[in-house]
Amino acid sequence: MSYDSFVDDSALRRRAHRAHLADLMLTRQWLVRSFALLHGASLLALLPIIVGGEVLGDLPLYREWAIDAAAGDGVIGIHDDWVYPLLAWLPIGAANVLGPTAFQLVWLLMTTALNLWAVWVLSDGGRSRPGMIGAYVWLLGFLLLSPVALLRLEGITGPLVIVALAWLARRPLIAGALLAVATWIKVWPAMVILVIVAVCRERWRVIAAGVAVTAVTAGMSAASGGLAHLLSFLTTQTDRGLQLEAPIATPWVWLAAMEVPGARVFQNRSLATREVTGPLDELAIAVATPLLVLVVVALAALLAWAGRRGADQRQLLLTGALALVLAAIVCNKVGSPQYLLWVVPIAAVAMCQPTQWWRRTTAAVLATSLLTTIIFPIAYMPLVRLEWVPVALLSLRNGLLIALFLGAVLRLVQLGRGATWEVAGVRGTRGAVVGS
């Protein structure tokens, strides 16, 4: 056998092996096994904490609020200003239903149930092979970000956004209600709603559902005497400095690492966060919020323009949602690892009908998620000490976030200009609607 024939045969065997593996994984049985393995491993990892009646991550703070409310010591968000929207009490209160010692267990069970719902909807109950790809993306992203996905509110809102996006075309009222509930738990899904309003035919039903959920939320707040605090989440963090992990703070992290006079990392004890300060940091703090508003307005205008030119609605919706949530990350003076859980749900839905652009983008999103978990919690204390390797990793992660944002904006421009794209293997041009 010639060398060339041997190489060709080896390549064919490798391709056949990969195809066989893909066929195995894209079955309901393997999807169920993957789901069970991920959540079973999560249970085992948290079992010592659960047995001891303790909690991890942000859950100690959530549990403290729940205990105070149950004891009649006031409900934060009703009797006082709160950093979260009012419906964050839905998961926080539910997690305390069996008492404080079971808080961690109930939170895990809630997260597992919501993930099961998201995976079931994405994969059409295990019947859709393309949908299974999206389900695996969500499971992999959840695994990569598990230190925050299991212990913060984004682990609750992420599956809600996935189901809402998957159901938007067929069940817009339910999708709108889910997005509104998710927004009243954590603000970021409002970016998805904004894109729907800008580009989707279902906008009015989504708006109607959102108004209904908001009216019920405001009514509950008013009936409890807390209407004055209903929107406090919009203003409670306006005086924050540059948080260590925020992309906009990266230059000051390097200034502090190089021991430039006046540049340092410090603990903001009132907010329990690490912040960075240095020369001209007040300018960055002052500019961050107006910059975010300006970018959001510009993106909304870009979406409206692309929509009027007949860009594919599905691609415009998902790419616009990606651009807006990334804008909320890269233009924000606050930066936290759970913010990647704003991005992964959009990629998971997009990968149910993947284009080549979405395949590359999703790979970059997952790589960024892995880097995020390496930075926090694995290398967080060395980062606080400004050691060079974690500072470089943080810079790389933030650079990837900025690149993803710029790539999403460029893609929106291409969609609007009528550049040829591929949707689910079908080539189209401006005005073609492929998929739903």
Side-chain angles (χ1 to χ4, degrees), residues 62 64-90 92-93 220-221 224-230 232:
Y62 300 167
E64 180 183 342
W65 291 330
I67 290 171
D68 289 344
D73 294 333
V75 179
I76 192 167
I78 294 292
H79 302 115
D80 201 358
D81 288 350
W82 200 17
V83 295
Y84 297 136
L86 187 60
L87 292 190
W89 271 110
L90 291 177
I92 291 172
M220 291 190 304
S221 178
S224 305
L227 196 57
H229 304 290
L230 181 64
S232 59

Side-chain angles (χ1 to χ4, degrees), residues 322-339:
L322 180 69
L324 276 168
V325 298
L326 285 167
I329 297 172
V330 302
C331 299
N332 201 330
K333 63 184 178 181
V334 180
S336 293
Q338 69 266 25
Y339 289 1

Side-chain angles (χ1 to χ4, degrees), residues 259-274:
E259 300 182 347
V260 171
R264 64 186 179 91
V265 172
F266 67 98
Q267 173 79 17
N268 185 327
R269 299 192 181 279
S270 63
L271 295 172
T273 62
R274 294 299 199 306

Side-chain angles (χ1 to χ4, degrees), residues 282-371:
E282 292 183 357
L283 177 61
I285 294 168
V287 164
T289 300
L291 175 63
L292 175 57
V293 172
L294 180 63
V295 170
V296 168
V297 171
L299 285 173
L302 177 60
L303 285 164
W305 167 78
R308 286 195 302 271
R309 289 178 63 87
D312 180 88
Q313 180 176 296
R314 184 177 189 275
Q315 291 300 305
L316 204 54
L317 167 64
L318 295 173
T319 309
L322 180 69
L324 276 168
V325 298
L326 285 167
I329 297 172
V330 302
C331 299
N332 201 330
K333 63 184 178 181
V334 180
S336 293
Q338 69 266 25
Y339 289 1
L340 266 294
L341 288 164
W342 303 359
V343 182
V344 177
I346 299 166
V349 175
M351 286 299 289
C352 293
Q353 295 181 31
T355 66
Q356 189 60 38
W357 186 86
W358 270 110
R359 291 188 186 97
R360 293 193 301 267
T361 298
T362 300
V365 166
L366 294 175
T368 307
S369 299
L370 176 59
L371 272 174

Side-chain angles (χ1 to χ4, degrees), residues 115-126 128 131 135 159 162-167 170-171 352:
N115 278 348
L116 179 60
W117 189 22
V119 166
W120 182 270
V121 169
L122 283 172
S123 67
D124 191 22
S128 168
I162 286 174
V163 174
L165 286 172
W167 280 359
R170 292 177 296 156
R171 302 179 179 93
C352 293

